[in-house]
């Protein structure tokens, strides 16, 4: 028993040391790898900053089924309901099983909740374990792990592992950008695009706000990702906030 525990402790220590030195892409791969091993088929990463201007509706949504829905593909009214749901979880300060709270959400927003659940079911997602994560620089969030079946109340080990990996991922991601001292040389236009990404705006909305084509928004976004060493919108937004590249109104 003692030797087994020691081995486990060494493994956890090794994982922690590795995560502290990893960049955002490696961190995301680690998160997905652990999630897959526990039967997770979808992953939603919502983040929230202390400044209301940075409230992000749905920056990153990955479906393990192969179907990928970006923030701009989610109807605004759905994103708004999801944001309120995530804010509720942050206020609660503890993980929830969606199916257990669904009646309360449905009572508040019956039609929209049904639409959201229907869309999730189409992608094979029937329940979620939603974990609030609290990081440095007042950057908090919710990482929701989707399952193809209703989550069993008895499966405590899976819940504990997902809580641990969600917390480690979020804190490592925020710390990674918070401690970076190298300058990221964004152009004025790239900085504008990054600012609106951090504020949760879709590609179409940024296109309208800045008076440029959606294709140009894509080009600027790719350049931002390359310069910042990230591969998704939420990592870019967290990096922009923690590195001081994006400031509140």
């Amino acid at each position: 028993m003692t030797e087994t525990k020691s081995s486990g402790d060494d493994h956890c220590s090794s994982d922690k040391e590795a995560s502290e030195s990893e960049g955002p892409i490696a961190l995301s791969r680690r998160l997905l790898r652990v999630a897959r091993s526990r039967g997770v088929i979808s992953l939603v990463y919502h983040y929230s900053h202390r400044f209301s201007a940075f409230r992000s509706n749905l920056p990153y949504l990955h479906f393990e089924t192969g179907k990928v829905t970006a923030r701009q593909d989610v109807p605004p009214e759905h994103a708004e309901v999801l944001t309120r749901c995530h804010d509720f979880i942050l206020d609660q300060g503890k993980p929830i099983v969606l199916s257990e709270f669904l009646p309360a959400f449905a009572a508040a927003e019956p039609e929209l909740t049904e639409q959201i659940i229907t869309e999730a079911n189409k992608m094979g997602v029937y329940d979620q374990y939603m974990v609030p994560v609290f990081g440095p620089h007042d950057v908090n969030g919710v990482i929701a792990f989707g399952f193809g079946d209703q989550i069993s109340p008895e499966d405590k080990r899976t819940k504990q592992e997902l809580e641990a990996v969600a917390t480690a991922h979020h804190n490592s991601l925020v710390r990674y950008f918070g401690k970076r001292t190298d300058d990221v040389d964004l152009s004025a236009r790239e900085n504008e695009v990054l600012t609106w990404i951090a504020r949760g705006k879709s590609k179409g909305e940024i296109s309208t706000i800045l008076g440029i084509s959606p294709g140009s928004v894509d080009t600027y976004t790719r350049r931002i990702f390359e310069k910042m060493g990230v591969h998704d919108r939420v990592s870019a937004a967290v990096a922009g906030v923690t590195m001081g590249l994006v400031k509140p109104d």
Side-chain angles (χ1 to χ4, degrees):
M1 288 294 291
T2 303
E3 292 179 359
T4 302
K5 186 176 186 296
S6 175
S7 174
D9 288 346
D10 289 344
H11 179 69
C12 291
S13 175
S14 169
D15 280 351
K16 181 178 180 182
E17 290 173 4
S19 67
E20 301 224 341
S21 62
E22 288 173 330
I25 295 176
L27 288 169
S28 294
R29 286 174 178 165
R30 175 188 290 270
L31 176 65
L32 286 173
R33 186 169 62 250
V34 175
R36 288 183 190 130
S37 73
R38 303 311 301 171
V40 171
I41 64 171
S42 75
L43 178 69
V44 180
Y45 192 166
H46 162 99
Y47 84 99
S48 174
H49 191 264
R50 66 181 182 274
F51 301 117
S52 60
F54 296 129
R55 301 309 285 270
S56 174
N57 288 327
L58 194 61
Y60 179 51
L61 176 55
H62 173 86
F63 280 94
E64 197 56 34
T65 54
K67 300 178 180 179
V68 178
T69 303
R71 158 65 181 90
Q72 56 265 32
D73 296 325
V74 178
E77 62 273 19
H78 289 191
E80 186 177 341
V81 172
L82 289 169
T83 297
R84 290 204 295 273
C85 173
H86 293 144
D87 288 345
F88 169 78
I89 296 166
L90 283 169
D91 289 339
Q92 292 288 304
K94 60 182 181 181
I96 71 166
V97 174
L98 180 59
S99 58
E100 295 176 1
F101 279 80
L102 204 52
F105 294 143
E109 297 279 358
E111 186 175 343
L112 290 177
T113 299
E114 182 178 356
Q115 292 175 9
I116 293 170
I117 295 301
T118 298
E119 290 302 311
N121 291 168
K122 287 179 181 177
M123 295 190 178
V125 179
Y126 288 87
D127 207 351
Q128 290 189 3
Y129 191 53
M130 311 178 82
V131 182
V133 286
F134 302 92
H137 306 282
D138 291 323
V139 180
N140 305 322
V142 173
I143 298 182
F145 302 94
F147 291 83
D149 297 301
Q150 190 164 323
I151 298 170
S152 169
E154 306 303 320
D155 195 357
K156 295 180 180 179
R157 180 178 177 183
T158 292
K159 293 176 183 177
Q160 290 171 346
E161 288 187 5
L162 293 179
E163 289 169 29
V165 73
T167 301
H169 174 80
H170 182 73
N171 285 335
S172 294
L173 185 66
V174 176
R175 280 199 306 269
Y176 174 83
F177 292 113
K179 70 183 180 182
R180 285 185 61 178
T181 57
D182 52 316
D183 293 331
V184 175
D185 186 19
L186 298 183
S187 69
R189 181 64 85 187
E190 289 166 352
N191 193 270
E192 287 179 317
V193 171
L194 175 62
T195 296
W196 291 114
I197 287 175
R199 293 175 183 172
K201 298 301 182 181
S202 69
K203 175 174 66 176
E205 290 169 330
I206 296 174
S207 170
T208 300
I209 292 169
L210 298 181
I212 58 179
S213 71
S216 294
V217 175
D218 279 337
T219 298
Y220 287 121
T221 301
R222 282 195 300 272
R223 291 176 184 170
I224 292 167
F225 286 3
E226 290 172 3
K227 289 182 178 182
M228 302 187 81
V230 301
H231 76 309
D232 60 71
R233 291 166 60 92
V234 68
S235 297
V238 170
V241 171
T242 58
M243 296 173 70
L245 296 173
V246 178
K247 301 186 183 302
D249 291 337

